[in-house]
């Protein structure tokens, strides 16, 4: 029997057996989506790839997954401490377009990159700006339950009212309180955060709405609490995001939901660890970042990046280097060619049960994809019948998502001069003129081509 699925839950800081809250029903999965004020970088996509693999592993284990992802198109300020400008309004100024236009443009680009990386579409993709009413209703309940207060620039969540505040991040709330900073403005505690921000007096924002408290826009965290509850209910199976979300964004999502409905929102909290570039966090705000298009410009298939991410466990940081991507591209190429050669026979066979069992145990051990890849290589190089190896690899790829079933070797365009040489050599061989045939083969080699004689003809391959 393979190991049952266990996942590392950051809320309890333990590896726990995963049991769906509604056996036989859908598993609810909420993953924090992109802030669409700029392109997403390959660091962001490391997190989305981890979440895609998680979803595929759940499906491998027989679960049906209801996956909800939000698009943050308002309210995410340049500082996580609720100060600074809205990233969308700033992005609009940078590009000379409206905030609505850039939201549309960067959402489309995000979705196109997701497809290049074979990341499955979420069941529901929801925009923050399409759910303002739900967010206002959420804040109104938080206020009614006594967890909100007003300052001159907005409505804030009073974290001191909640005994368990900060549990996810193991925040030292008392220590933070003791070290209060002068720049916390009118906030009562340093950990308090905005639920609703007022539009600055005398200023018209591109994105603003009326609310019971005044014209303005929602804080960043409330969108996820509100949309998760709308589409997945008060308490669902798994919530994910990148590791940076632990101390602020997810901590505050939990606080809000706790204040409204009394749950910690999700049973499991999983986080993808960062992709680093030259050992530093890759961040849009730092200016320099790599996109999927940057990889393509250097001639890489985006799926080589997917392969690279599979070689590292999601719970450790991964340092990006071009050498590492190169190695991943080579490995992917070998795997594609290897599976391609076996694929013809595969539909007639069943995957090998022993390999499937070992593979399942690895992916069920908190998504140990590096070990799962090692088993795939063992299967590819092993001595089971071709059809069985092919069927086994294709089954594994339901989780890897490398598109092995559909891949075709690139079609070689043979230059006309090379075809002429090959034809001449074939004619020389037919005339048993071996010296001339050898000479022409030498010319083909010099041009970088290998000619293989086949029954009734020949094939040309690059040397
Ligand atoms: P954002 O567009 O900033 O809202 O981020 C989208 C997702 O990418 C979030 O889940 C972040 O936690 C995650 N993320 C941001 N930077 C990185 C990084 N360098 N490596 C991995 N994930 C990241
Ligand atoms: Zn979120």
């Amino acid at each position: 029997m393979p190991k049952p699925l266990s996942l590392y839950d950051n809320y309890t800081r333990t590896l726990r057996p995963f049991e769906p809250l509604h056996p036989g029903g859908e598993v609810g999965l909420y993953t924090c989506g992109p802030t669409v004020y700029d392109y997403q970088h390959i660091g962001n996509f490391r997190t989305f790839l981890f979440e895609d693999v998680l979803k595929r592993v759940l499906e491998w284990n027989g679960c049906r997954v209801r996956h909800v992802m939000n698009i943050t198109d308002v309210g995410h300020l340049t500082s996580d401490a609720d100060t600074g400008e809205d990233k969308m309004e700033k992005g609009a100024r940078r590009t000379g377009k409206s905030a609505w236009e850039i939201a549309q443009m960067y959402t489309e680009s995000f979705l196109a990159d997701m497809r290049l990386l074979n990341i499955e579409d979420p069941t529901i993709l929801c925009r923050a700006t399409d759910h303002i009413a739900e967010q206002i209703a959420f804040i109104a309940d938080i206020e009614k339950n006594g967890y909100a207060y007003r300052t001159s620039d907005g409505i804030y969540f009073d974290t001191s009212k909640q005994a368990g505040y900060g549990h996810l991040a193991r925040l030292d709330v008392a220590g933070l309180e003791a070290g209060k900073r002068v720049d916390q403005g009118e906030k009562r505690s340093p950990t308090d955060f905005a639920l609703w921000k007022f539009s600055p007096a005398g200023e018209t924002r591109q994105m603003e709405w009326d609310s019971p408290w005044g014209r303005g826009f929602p804080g960043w965290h409330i969108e996820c609490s509100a949309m998760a509850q709308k589409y997945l209910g008060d308490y669902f199976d798994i919530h994910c995001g990148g590791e940076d979300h632990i101390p602020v964004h997810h901590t505050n999502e939990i606080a809000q939901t706790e204040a409204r409905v009394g749950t910690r929102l999700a049973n499991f909290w999983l986080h993808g660890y960062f992709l680093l570039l030259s050992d530093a966090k890759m961040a849009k705000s730092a200016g320099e970042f790599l996109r999927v298009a940057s990889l393509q410009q250097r001639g890489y298939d985006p799926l080589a990046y997917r392969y690279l991410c599979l070689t590292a466990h999601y719970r450790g940081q991964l340092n990006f280097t071009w050498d590492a991507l190169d190695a991943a591209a080579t490995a992917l190429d070998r795997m594609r060619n290897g599976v391609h050669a076996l694929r013809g026979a595969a539909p007639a066979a069943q995957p090998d049960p022993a390999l499937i069992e070992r593979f399942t145990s690895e992916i069920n051990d908190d998504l140990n994809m590096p070990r799962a890849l090692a088993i795939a290589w063992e299967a590819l190089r092993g001595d089971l019948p071709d059809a069985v190896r092919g069927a086994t690899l294709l089954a594994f790829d339901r989780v890897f998502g490398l598109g092995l079933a559909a891949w075709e070797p690139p079609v070689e365009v043979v230059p006309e001069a090379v075809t002429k040489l090959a034809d001449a050599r074939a004619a020389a061989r037919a005339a048993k003129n071996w010296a001339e045939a050898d000479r022409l083969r030498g010319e083909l080699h010099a041009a970088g081509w290998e000619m293989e004689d086949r029954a009734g003809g020949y094939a040309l391959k690059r040397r």
Side-chain angles (χ1 to χ4, degrees), residues 269-403:
W269 286 84
L270 269 60
H271 297 94
Y273 283 70
F274 267 169
L275 181 78
L276 308 180
L277 184 61
S278 313
D279 292 312
K281 175 190 160 186
M282 184 178 293
K284 276 173 283 191
S285 46
E288 240 258 301
F289 62 88
L290 294 170
R291 293 166 45 196
V292 171
S294 328
L295 308 185
Q296 289 177 303
Q297 271 154 20
R298 290 228 197 172
Y300 290 100
D301 184 327
L303 292 177
Y305 180 63
R306 186 175 176 112
Y307 188 99
L308 175 63
C309 289
L310 293 173
T311 64
H313 193 270
Y314 78 91
R315 241 158 27 82
Q317 295 185 327
L318 169 64
N319 198 30
F320 179 84
T321 63
W322 291 103
D323 282 350
L325 185 62
D326 231 33
T330 305
L332 175 61
D333 208 44
R334 287 209 184 110
M335 187 173 275
R336 281 170 159 172
N337 279 292
V339 174
H340 186 260
L342 302 173
R343 228 165 56 193
Q350 289 299 318
D352 179 63
L355 285 166
I356 291 287
E357 180 171 327
R358 287 174 52 211
F359 176 84
T360 306
S361 292
E362 295 300 350
I363 61 174
N364 280 358
D365 181 13
D366 197 27
L367 321 184
N368 197 334
M369 302 316 291
R371 291 280 318 138
L373 270 182
I375 293 174
W377 282 109
E378 195 187 312
L380 197 57
R381 293 178 175 142
D383 48 16
L384 289 168
D386 284 5
V388 175
R389 285 189 293 141
T392 306
L393 263 298
L394 290 181
F396 291 172
D397 199 41
R398 294 196 340 245
V399 176
F400 294 143
L402 295 168

Side-chain angles (χ1 to χ4, degrees), residues 30-33 70 72 220-221 223-225 239-241 245 249-250 253 269:
Y30 187 94
T31 61
C32 290
N70 66 304
T72 298
W220 169 37
H221 319 298
E223 64 175 89
C224 288
S225 287
H239 194 312
C240 297
H245 284 349
H249 183 54
H250 287 173
E253 279 186 43
W269 286 84

Side-chain angles (χ1 to χ4, degrees), residues 95 108 124 170 434 440 463:
T95 53
E108 276 166 20
I124 293 169
R170 306 295 191 265
W434 307 120
L440 288 163
R463 267 156 67 84

Side-chain angles (χ1 to χ4, degrees), residues 61-270:
N61 282 279
C63 301
R64 278 179 303 121
V65 181
R66 180 171 166 86
H67 175 202
V68 178
M69 181 191 272
N70 66 304
I71 299 278
T72 298
D73 56 358
V74 69
H76 194 165
L77 303 186
T78 47
S79 150
D80 276 354
D82 290 319
T83 54
E85 214 181 337
D86 186 326
K87 292 188 178 192
M88 294 302 296
E89 307 256 338
K90 190 173 170 194
R93 240 195 1 260
R94 192 191 71 237
T95 53
K97 294 184 162 55
S98 77
W100 297 98
E101 280 167 345
I102 62 164
Q104 179 70 19
M105 176 173 109
Y106 292 126
T107 301
E108 276 166 20
S109 145
F110 161 70
L111 292 174
D113 284 353
M114 292 273 279
R115 285 170 196 146
L116 288 173
L117 291 166
N118 267 355
I119 297 176
E120 288 172 359
D121 285 348
T123 323
I124 293 169
L125 187 70
C126 41
R127 286 188 190 86
T129 53
D130 287 338
H131 296 78
I132 299 296
E134 287 85 346
Q135 296 175 70
I136 290 176
F138 210 111
I139 300 168
D141 277 353
I142 290 175
E143 189 181 39
K144 198 174 75 207
N145 294 345
Y147 291 93
Y149 63 92
R150 174 187 280 265
T151 72
S152 60
D153 72 3
I155 303 296
Y156 281 80
F157 189 98
D158 188 345
T159 54
S160 70
K161 294 268 165 68
Q162 212 166 46
Y165 178 81
H167 179 80
L168 173 71
R170 306 295 191 265
L171 287 186
D172 171 15
V173 178
L176 288 168
E177 188 70 29
K180 262 187 195 175
R181 290 183 320 217
V182 268
D183 63 0
Q184 88 184 37
E186 297 168 56
K187 286 201 300 190
R188 295 180 187 165
S189 307
T191 43
D192 292 357
F193 57 92
L195 295 165
W196 186 264
K197 294 275 277 188
F198 303 134
S199 297
E203 214 180 278
T204 307
R205 280 173 47 93
Q206 296 187 32
M207 292 175 154
E208 57 178 8
W209 296 266
D210 286 324
S211 81
W213 311 280
R215 204 163 171 73
F217 58 99
W220 169 37
H221 319 298
I222 198 72
E223 64 175 89
C224 288
S225 287
M227 293 192 280
Q229 191 195 21
K230 171 168 179 168
Y231 294 112
L232 296 170
D234 290 351
Y235 189 59
F236 55 88
D237 294 282
I238 308 176
H239 194 312
C240 297
E243 59 170 312
D244 55 330
H245 284 349
I246 300 171
V248 180
H249 183 54
H250 287 173
T251 289
N252 293 344
E253 279 186 43
I254 292 173
Q256 295 166 146
T257 303
E258 184 90 40
R260 188 189 200 190
V261 296
T263 72
R264 62 167 141 111
L265 193 58
N267 187 13
F268 279 77
W269 286 84
L270 269 60

